[in-house]
Amino acid sequence: MEKVDVLIIGGGGACYPAALRLAESGYNIVMADPKGQLGGNCLYMGCIPSKTVREMAQLKERTERILNHKVNVNYSFIQDHKDNVQETRFLQHSNDLKSFPNLKFLGEKVMLKDANHASIGSTEIEAKYIIVGTGTEPNKVNFPGSEYCITSDDIFTYKSKIRSLPSDMVIIGGGYIALEVATIYNILGSKVHVLVRSGKLLDRVEPYLVSSLINSMDKNIDIQMNSPLESVEEKDGKKIVHYSDSSGNKKEISTEMVLLATGRKPVLPEGIDKAGIKLDERGYIKVDESMKSNIANIYATGDVNGLSPYFHSAVRQSIVAANNIMANGKAVDYFDSNAVPITIFTFPPISYIGITPIAAKARGIDYIEGIYKFKNDAKAQMYDELAGEIRIFFEKGSLRAIGAWIIGIDSPSLINELGIAIANGLNARQIADYADQHPTTNEGISAAARSIL
Ligand code: ADP
């Protein structure tokens, strides 16, 4: 029986920041993940590989559009490059681990036995504290022929077997993964069809953002709303997708690849019940703002608690759990889900943070909008990417920035400056007075604030 201060279940963003912080402070830690690598699903098959491929698509799109130079995509090269990026980061993480003899990492699954005991392969562990950060996985729906379909994990996983670009693909779903993959592969050169069961894309995203995205998205992407999938069959090396269209007519598409983007679901370690850990009604581990579960010595961080399923939230939650463990379980640090930047990495990208109109209305908050249109922006003009805007929502009276969105160029980076402003309660005057670097799209942030003063 190995006795440790903290057992950390998983090796993703929900886990390794806590492990490193606790190790620095001298705690004895065992962390385990069957991947045998740190970085979790985000690095192994999620955000890092998908955004590497997206950056390559962005290069192609800009080169063709601005330099008028046709790029023939060597997809296997893109996949090799993606694998290289992943390897660089695996190595970086394993070097981090080497600095701490008091932090042991095992490449196996953890099985809980009770609230203080677990087994990891043949190793039996007794732990004072436990952090569960086991993440989520694609929710693969079952229907006739579902075995012929893949998920985004199959495309983006480390050393993916998919090395050639599909000439044609059908994506099932209308969420962020469906639209990101659709816009990326459309640029790389695949003919993309998206079948959406409902009449709505990006459920829960502000309608203005959704309609701006739909208006700016390449019209070559075939998006069919109210078109439920019925079955998929394989015939002569092709996949035949059967569905009904919005008028209820039976239709089919013959394609090379069918991608299911039908949401994600929590992954729970075996023995969660033996440890007495309670789940919420959706099956995620229930936690409070200090990341503590219903069991006093067990914390659950990252995607598995369903609070905010983003890598950067997982990292912050991981540090919150570590800080609270270092305070002997007293809640001294809290996760604030009000100022988490969210980006949908489509072409164009859309980003948002904090309280935007729907939430403001629900909370009865009056606001004033400061708007900056990219058509007036120097860098947007350099790239001829004039659609889109920066919009900041200021509370009426105090003029405190409470939320923002950005549609278009550089939105994934720009949203961070606004995040700092919102998280720290800056007001329109303070944002307006800051001289953002010229000529970058950041200038639009102070300009949007100035527009209301
Ligand atoms: P997060 O962003 O919340 O860290 P990820 O999905 O990126 O979530 O990472 C979760 C990690 O947890 C994955 O790498 C997965 O292999 C690991 N994991 C899942 N179940 C177990 C388990 N029972 N024991 C150890 N690790 C696990």
Side-chain angles (χ1 to χ4, degrees):
M1 176 77 66
E2 197 170 327
K3 289 192 176 182
V4 295
D5 297 316
V6 191
L7 166 65
I8 303 188
I9 311 178
C15 292
Y16 71 80
L20 297 175
R21 170 143 303 190
L22 290 162
E24 256 171 356
S25 302
Y27 285 70
N28 275 323
I29 295 147
V30 164
M31 171 164 58
D33 191 313
K35 288 192 173 69
Q37 301 278 4
L38 294 190
N41 292 317
C42 167
L43 173 51
Y44 209 90
M45 52 188 58
C47 9
I48 296 290
S50 63
K51 268 74 241 184
T52 305
V53 176
R54 183 187 187 277
E55 289 295 321
M56 303 304 106
Q58 172 110 66
L59 283 177
K60 175 181 190 286
E61 194 276 331
R62 284 184 169 162
T63 307
E64 294 190 333
R65 182 170 47 80
I66 305 163
L67 299 180
N68 195 22
H69 180 86
K70 175 94 184 118
V71 176
N72 291 313
V73 167
N74 179 342
Y75 186 67
S76 135
F77 180 86
I78 292 181
Q79 291 291 69
D80 288 347
H81 175 61
K82 163 195 93 57
D83 290 341
N84 285 337
V85 173
Q86 289 169 291
E87 278 164 19
T88 303
R89 298 192 65 74
F90 290 147
L91 187 67
Q92 205 171 302
H93 288 312
S94 74
N95 285 337
D96 284 345
L97 286 179
K98 282 185 193 141
S99 337
F100 299 107
N102 51 332
L103 165 55
K104 195 198 273 182
F105 178 61
L106 302 171
E108 283 179 274
K109 254 190 178 167
V110 179
M111 223 170 42
L112 286 166
K113 294 187 149 175
D114 62 32
N116 291 97
H117 296 89
S119 55
I120 310 174
S122 55
T123 312
E124 298 294 318
I125 301 277
E126 182 176 304
K128 206 167 158 204
Y129 290 101
I130 297 176
I131 299 177
V132 185
T134 43
T136 56
E137 62 187 2
N139 183 24
K140 244 187 143 179
V141 284
N142 259 330
F143 54 86
S146 55
E147 66 273 24
Y148 302 125
C149 305
I150 61 166
T151 68
S152 62
D153 282 3
D154 298 298
I155 303 183
F156 295 120
T157 194
Y158 177 56
K159 297 277 183 195
S160 162
K161 290 193 194 73
I162 302 168
R163 307 311 278 189
S164 61
L165 190 70
S167 60
D168 189 288
M169 69 199 293
V170 173
I171 300 173
I172 311 296
Y176 76 98
I177 294 179
L179 296 183
E180 287 182 2
V181 174
T183 53
I184 293 170
Y185 281 81
N186 170 58
I187 288 174
L188 292 178
S190 302
K191 173 69 199 171
V192 181
H193 308 269
V194 183
L195 298 183
V196 187
R197 186 179 48 186
S198 71
K200 223 172 155 197
L201 290 174
L202 298 172
D203 214 10
R204 292 197 293 272
V205 177
E206 288 276 356
Y208 184 84
L209 294 178
V210 180
S211 60
S212 302
L213 175 64
I214 293 169
N215 290 338
S216 311
M217 252 163 56
D218 191 332
K219 302 292 175 279
N220 285 320
I221 303 173
D222 166 38
I223 300 183
Q224 301 192 40
M225 307 300 296
N226 297 303
S227 299
L229 171 74
E230 284 173 2
S231 63
V232 177
E233 57 176 330
E234 208 170 33
K235 221 184 206 170
D236 308 325
K238 286 280 212 179
K239 277 128 187 121
I240 318 291
V241 179
H242 298 275
Y243 67 103
S244 42
D245 71 8
S246 53
S247 318
N249 301 316
K250 303 280 176 213
K251 288 276 177 71
E252 60 178 56
I253 304 174
S254 165
T255 189
E256 216 172 291
M257 184 187 275
V258 185
L259 183 115
L260 294 181
T262 41
R264 296 183 69 87
K265 59 173 193 214
V267 174
L268 301 169
E270 214 180 308
I272 197 100
D273 45 336
K274 290 183 188 152
I277 300 172
K278 279 204 184 123
L279 308 179
D280 67 16
E281 57 292 342
R282 300 176 305 152
Y284 292 87
I285 298 180
K286 222 173 162 170
V287 290
D288 63 16
E289 296 76 12
S290 76
M291 298 297 110
K292 200 180 269 193
S293 72
N294 61 304
I295 305 294
N297 65 315
I298 301 183
Y299 292 79
T301 49
D303 294 0
V304 78
N305 66 29
L307 286 183
S308 180
Y310 312 103
F311 182 85
H312 41 295
S313 295
V315 170
R316 173 69 195 125
Q317 292 180 9
S318 192
I319 300 286
V320 168
N323 287 340
N324 292 328
I325 287 172
M326 289 192 286
N328 287 325
K330 180 173 187 289
V332 293
D333 198 5
Y334 302 88
F335 173 67
D336 175 8
S337 55
N338 282 319
V340 174
I342 297 170
T343 290
I344 297 163
F345 285 87
T346 37
F347 285 94
I350 52 180
S351 304
Y352 53 98
I353 188 164
I355 300 170
T356 52
I358 291 179
K361 211 169 170 195
R363 297 187 196 190
I365 301 173
D366 287 336
Y367 60 85
I368 307 174
E369 303 176 333
I371 302 175
Y372 176 83
K373 294 283 183 188
F374 282 130
K375 69 177 188 320
N376 300 317
D377 183 81
K379 188 177 167 203
Q381 289 159 357
M382 292 174 204
Y383 281 109
D384 196 16
E385 289 172 24
L386 304 178
E389 64 176 33
I390 296 173
R391 194 177 291 228
I392 313 176
F393 302 95
F394 298 99
E395 183 184 44
K396 245 187 199 168
S398 72
L399 294 189
R400 212 167 43 88
I402 52 170
W405 69 45
I406 304 165
I407 304 159
I409 185 165
D410 293 341
S411 82
S413 336
L414 288 175
I415 199 70
N416 293 305
E417 184 177 328
L418 283 162
I420 296 264
I422 292 165
N424 291 286
L426 298 194
N427 63 33
R429 173 66 61 201
Q430 290 162 313
I431 297 172
D433 284 354
Y434 181 69
D436 280 287
Q437 173 67 53
H438 179 69
T440 69
T441 39
N442 295 64
E443 287 175 285
I445 293 176
S446 41
R450 279 198 300 278
S451 76
I452 64 153
L453 296 172

